[in-house]
Amino acid sequence: MTLGLFQAITKPLPHPVLLCGADGRVLAANPAAGRCDDRLRPGASLFDLRPDDTPRLRQQLTVWLRSGSPVPGALILKDADGRLRRFRCHGARATWWDGPQPAAQLHFVEAGASDRFVVLSQQVEALNREVAFRRATEVDRARLLAAEQAARAQLQHLYDLTAALAGAITLAQVSRVVNEVAPPALGATAAELYLHSARLVPPLQPEDNARPANAGGWTDLDRPSSSDGSLPCEAADAVPLALSLEADGVQLGMLIVYGSHSSTTSEHVTAVAQQIAQALRRAGLHEHEHRVAERLQLSLLPQLPHLPGLATATCYAPGSDLLSVGGDWYDVYDVDADRIGLSIGDVAGHGLHEATVMAQITAALRNIVPRCGTDPTAVLDELNTFLGRYHPNRMATACYLVFDRRTRALTYARAGHPPPLLIHADGSSAYLDHAIAPPLGPVRNICYQQADTIVAENDTLLLYTDGLIERRREDLALGMQRLTACARTTTGLDIAELCDRFLHHQPEAAFPDDRAMLAARFPPHA
């Protein structure tokens, strides 16, 4: 078919018929098309008749150009007055057309507002718009929900960090919180501390270079052995973020954050770093005061005499949550040529007054023992009289023992004090739990009892205060069981190593009270 034949066939038809190229240009139109809209003539562009809907019209035209049989559709055009005119269309590719570009043959009829085809098309369009709106709403809702959940999780992590830092007393505890709790609050994978120990815990004396106790979990910038002096932040590809830690005008060190999320704001990270710095400052001051109390306590404890043949070792550690001095003491006495006396005790309470009472008790014992040191009951009786006379409102526990080199008899008496532990060379042990009486001070005219046992060669006597076995909300019997279990691990240790083993037999435990120990290893037979 030729273009002329197309025009001849479509001329008598009552509805518009167009031959339209792929570019939207009208190649031919019958007279009905001109009567419908005088702009529908050869050379005109369909896209010019509805410029605001060109993409949809271009898509519809593409569908028609690809079809060899008529495909229904809709066409909305604007007339010269700007009013929208709706047409029902059927279009298909004009296979007879041999022009330079493909063309589509369109048949369309203007539809009224009540036309079911138009109404259905409008309903479909409205439904499509509603579905698109609902999808967009669901996407926004999911995005907002995810953002809210992320904000709640971050707030919970921040609350957990704040609570953990508030409960961290020592530097080791703060370091553990930073390693375990801080990364989620920072939106990071890991966090490390690089600190100046000398700024955290000022030395008590110029020559004092002791590192803070249990200072694991962080790198000490003041110790060449634990750090080469360089911070990991120098390697930008390995460490994304390094934050300065400063509190009360003191530069404490650096917080190194690994794998920080880009969504975490700098204000949030800075606030977390400030919290950590304040916790470190508090822990450092606590450590310093703890050292002061420990140094003062050790200065009040008596210096033990060196007795030939008797190996002794002592240990003392203040309670983990106490900053004041206490009333724990231990001592050894050269009673006579054949006998050695040992004592241990604890004045109830903590503070300078209790420490003063303890110092006076140790002085009184060194006066009492030369007179009646061979009789443990007499020693405790005189000590009870002394405490009741000069410190009537104070109470103390005590244990006094005397060892006879000739008979190897160990005689002892106790005034409310935990029983000594006698450890044999093979690691087995037994408590000297007889001869118990009330504590010193509250009760006068007590009839003290004594008991004795025979010690073997290389037996070790462990005297201790209740801080070694006492735990909050726990029966003392459990602590005593731990000591006997620890004794089985001391085979082959010298006296100092044995004492240190008992002092640290529970490295992770919190000790609410002071721990004082005196260990004595008995000599072989003369």
Side-chain angles (χ1 to χ4, degrees), residues 26 128 187 230 271 499:
V26 177
N128 290 338
S230 63
C499 198

CSV table of all heavy atoms in Angstrom, one decimal, residues 26 128 187 230 271 499:
chain,number,residue,atom,x,y,z
A,26,VAL,N,3.4,13.5,12.3
A,26,VAL,CA,2.2,13.0,11.6
A,26,VAL,C,2.6,13.0,10.1
A,26,VAL,O,2.9,14.0,9.5
A,26,VAL,CB,1.0,13.9,11.8
A,26,VAL,CG1,-0.2,13.4,10.9
A,26,VAL,CG2,0.6,13.9,13.3
A,128,ASN,N,-2.8,3.0,40.3
A,128,ASN,CA,-1.3,3.0,40.2
A,128,ASN,C,-0.7,4.0,41.1
A,128,ASN,O,0.3,3.8,41.7
A,128,ASN,CB,-0.9,3.1,38.7
A,128,ASN,CG,-1.2,1.9,37.9
A,128,ASN,OD1,-1.4,0.8,38.4
A,128,ASN,ND2,-1.4,2.1,36.6
A,187,GLY,N,29.8,3.1,68.2
A,187,GLY,CA,29.6,2.6,66.9
A,187,GLY,C,30.8,2.1,66.2
A,187,GLY,O,31.1,2.3,65.0
A,230,SER,N,55.2,5.3,70.3
A,230,SER,CA,54.4,5.8,69.1
A,230,SER,C,53.0,5.3,69.3
A,230,SER,O,52.7,4.3,69.8
A,230,SER,CB,55.0,5.2,67.8
A,230,SER,OG,54.9,3.8,67.8
A,271,ALA,N,31.8,13.3,73.4
A,271,ALA,CA,31.1,13.2,74.7
A,271,ALA,C,31.5,11.9,75.4
A,271,ALA,O,31.7,11.8,76.6
A,271,ALA,CB,29.6,13.3,74.5
A,499,CYS,N,53.6,-17.1,100.3
A,499,CYS,CA,52.8,-16.0,100.8
A,499,CYS,C,52.1,-15.2,99.6
A,499,CYS,O,51.0,-14.9,99.7
A,499,CYS,CB,53.7,-15.1,101.6
A,499,CYS,SG,52.8,-14.0,102.7
